[in-house]
Amino acid sequence: MSYVLHYAPDNASLVVRLVLEEMRLPYRTALVDRSRSAQHGATYKRMNPVGRIPALETPHGPVFETAAICLWLADRHREVVTLSPDLSDPARGPFLSWVFYLSNTVHAEMRTLFYPALIAGPDPRQQAVARQQVQTSLATHFDLLNSQYAPANKALTICDLYLAVLLRWPALYPVDADRSWFDVSLWPNLHALAQRIEARDSVRAAATAEGLGPSPFSNPQPATPPEGSAL
């Protein structure tokens, strides 16, 4: 069984790539050329009708939405690597709560940081207000997450991989805005998580493929992908 990950460098598809690499599942990639807005084209929208990246081609049809893809892979290939609690595990409920908190709350709000016009419209002043509001909200989310990630030995889950990627983007994007509000070292437990995750072989493979550098989460640098564009 092999999968096709429709991706763009340093986009949400990075979370799925990390899961595929961590589980050592066979897959190939198909670049979605953002420079041509290929994610909005008819061909790609047959994979993901929402027109966002990523999508995953599977033998059972395409799957889209980052959290959905990751959960689908984790549940389907549990015998390979366990990245989520089993359905009968009492930890399953809390795990799902945090997965969807990362996806539906933190990640969703981060889109406002990158694309304020979607919320505030074309007025730059209103966009600046929207960005300021979401920065405050995201800092609160990171405070909460920091309190949940007390140093401890625990099994790796989808949440860890997803959160590591979410710690990368505010340090780099948007490129034309003040990003001084964000410094992952302000949240020591999250900083430690970022360092633990980026030391994994799976992350090194993904970082090489997408040109993310040696410390993509604890000290991120702009992506220099071998193909495509991160923006």
Side-chain angles (χ1 to χ4, degrees):
M1 180 181 296
S2 183
Y3 298 113
V4 181
L5 174 62
H6 293 258
Y7 88 107
D10 207 11
N11 279 231
S13 49
L14 175 59
V15 183
V16 179
R17 188 193 285 267
L18 292 180
V19 171
L20 289 164
E21 290 286 348
E22 186 66 34
M23 301 186 81
R24 299 183 180 180
L25 297 173
Y27 75 100
R28 63 181 177 87
T29 57
L31 178 67
V32 183
D33 189 351
R34 292 193 59 175
S35 69
R36 298 189 296 106
S37 296
Q39 69 270 32
H40 301 305
T43 300
Y44 180 73
K45 291 182 87 171
R46 284 195 286 271
M47 292 289 166
N48 184 346
V50 182
R52 292 181 184 174
I53 301 165
L56 185 73
E57 282 188 70
T58 84
H60 309 284
V63 184
F64 60 94
E65 290 293 326
T66 303
I69 297 170
C70 293
L71 282 169
W72 189 89
L73 288 169
D75 288 344
R76 188 165 184 82
H77 298 284
R78 185 170 302 281
E79 76 287 353
V80 179
V81 174
T82 303
L83 290 180
S84 64
D86 188 74
L87 293 175
S88 61
D89 190 327
R92 178 75 175 191
F95 162 77
L96 290 175
S97 295
W98 287 112
V99 169
F100 287 102
Y101 174 71
L102 293 173
S103 176
N104 295 3
T105 301
V106 183
H107 192 173
E109 289 187 16
M110 214 170 272
R111 282 182 56 81
T112 301
L113 190 68
F114 307 145
Y115 311 112
L118 296 176
I119 301 297
D123 187 340
R125 292 168 298 180
Q126 293 300 317
Q127 291 180 21
V129 170
R131 273 182 172 156
Q132 181 63 52
Q133 290 174 337
V134 80
Q135 287 170 5
T136 301
S137 181
L138 287 170
T140 301
H141 295 320
F142 290 133
D143 288 342
L144 174 60
L145 290 162
N146 188 68
S147 73
Q148 297 295 315
Y149 274 85
N153 293 322
K154 68 181 189 66
L156 183 79
T157 73
I158 291 167
C159 290
D160 303 309
L161 299 172
Y162 205 145
L163 177 54
V165 175
L166 294 178
L167 294 173
R168 170 181 171 79
W169 293 330
L172 298 173
Y173 308 113
V175 296
D176 61 345
D178 179 18
R179 301 185 301 281
S180 61
W181 70 277
F182 181 84
D183 181 345
V184 70
S185 65
L186 295 172
W187 299 281
N189 292 332
L190 300 186
H191 192 202
L193 170 72
Q195 292 174 318
R196 290 198 304 273
I197 295 299
E198 68 193 11
R200 303 184 71 84
D201 290 342
S202 57
V203 176
R204 292 195 185 101
T208 298
E210 299 199 10
L212 306 182
S215 51
F217 307 132
S218 67
N219 184 29
Q221 303 299 316
T224 55
E227 63 173 5
S229 170
L231 301 177

